[in-house]
Amino acid sequence: MTYHVVGDPIKKVAIFGGTHGNELTGVFLVKHWLENGAEIQRTGLEVKPFITNPRAVKKCTRYIDCDLNRVFDHGNLGKKLSEDMPYEVRRAQEINYLFGPKDSEDSYDIIFDLHNTTSNMGCTLILEDSRNDFLIQMFHYIKTSLAPLPCYIYLIEHPSLKYATTRSIAKYPVGIEVGPQPQGVLRADILDQMRKMVKYALDFIHNFNEGKEFPPCAIEVYKIMEKVDYPRNENGEIAAIIHPNLQDQDWKPLRPEDPVFLTLDGETIPLGGDCTVYPTFVNEAAYYEKKEAFAKTTILTLKAKSIRSSLH
């Protein structure tokens, strides 16, 4: 049998909380692990919990000047320090120095970036690369370990919608998104789910490092197609709200004739188009400013080859 060897064992892992300062599960867990990290330690592995946006965490706001989870492009990371530089761009440079540099051999192997959503997305893993056998294997392991609790995989590969995430400085970036949870609020059930996702991810890395072979596998993913804005009036203000039939229906099939918006006059606006899609980030509080009512996705199956670490 031919192995698909991924190379050396994983050595350096970071767990980011507070990339958005009002998404409290990651903040709470990371602060706990900074005081007592026993549950995230694994033999031979360096695991570093880290609060990414401390000023926003202190104020319990998403960000101070701009969205930290969108500024990790080479343009921002290479900018000269100046007085008027947004706080998050300066912070991005510091994080890149500590955990990167991005796209270099020295960067951290894996960054888990912990997020909450106000949308009813349950446990969601965010994948940035559909050809990454290692991550597909990891996500398969987490999904299987969480069962019967569902775990959805959101593939954000897209020619024009790709954004420069905080975790993108790692060789293997992993977004963890758990909801629904209001901003600035903690929920025990959501915290428990995120904690389990991190535990299973670290177990997978430990098993991989110990030489365990993972046979070929396949996972179902929801791949982003496009983002849909709210209907707006001539002043650019929102003219209709998410229809009750769509509210909380993340990942459920949405047909062209199904209603997605409702005006205050009671008019329903259907999805339109010619195919069934699967909505996600439905009515996410943080996306009003980004003019995104929900994202349309399509279902794909991704396959991964067998993997094992090269030391065994």
Side-chain angles (χ1 to χ4, degrees), residues 62-80:
R62 184 174 171 88
Y63 55 77
I64 301 298
D65 294 326
C66 60
D67 193 334
L68 182 64
N69 208 29
R70 303 289 187 276
V71 294
F72 281 78
D73 54 275
H74 289 292
N76 278 312
L77 296 177
K79 266 193 185 135
K80 259 207 168 105

Side-chain angles (χ1 to χ4, degrees), residues 93-111:
Q93 293 186 355
E94 291 166 8
I95 292 165
N96 189 50
Y97 176 76
L98 291 169
F99 297 96
K102 184 171 176 165
D103 298 330
S104 80
E105 273 305 299
D106 298 328
S107 67
Y108 266 59
D109 297 308
I110 300 172
I111 292 172

Side-chain angles (χ1 to χ4, degrees), residues 119-187:
S119 305
N120 188 27
M121 287 167 63
C123 296
T124 299
L125 289 160
I126 302 180
L127 180 63
E128 300 194 9
D129 178 6
S130 61
R131 293 170 303 280
N132 193 310
D133 289 313
F134 181 81
L135 285 180
I136 293 169
Q137 287 280 6
M138 182 199 287
F139 287 12
H140 178 264
Y141 182 92
I142 297 169
K143 198 175 157 74
T144 309
S145 303
L146 281 169
L149 187 72
C151 178
Y152 304 93
I153 297 163
Y154 185 31
L155 175 62
I156 59 168
E157 225 177 29
H158 191 281
S160 61
L161 297 175
K162 187 98 166 134
Y163 46 84
T165 58
T166 312
R167 60 189 173 268
S168 67
I169 52 179
K171 297 180 182 85
Y172 300 113
V174 178
I176 294 181
E177 189 82 59
V178 192
Q181 179 169 281
Q183 297 172 347
V185 168
L186 280 160
R187 278 180 52 160

Side-chain angles (χ1 to χ4, degrees), residues 15 18 46 57 67 100-101 107 110 113 124 170 226 237 252 262:
I15 304 172
E46 180 194 323
V57 167
D67 193 334
S107 67
I110 300 172
D113 195 13
T124 299
E226 63 172 315
E237 294 162 336
K252 304 282 195 320
L262 181 64

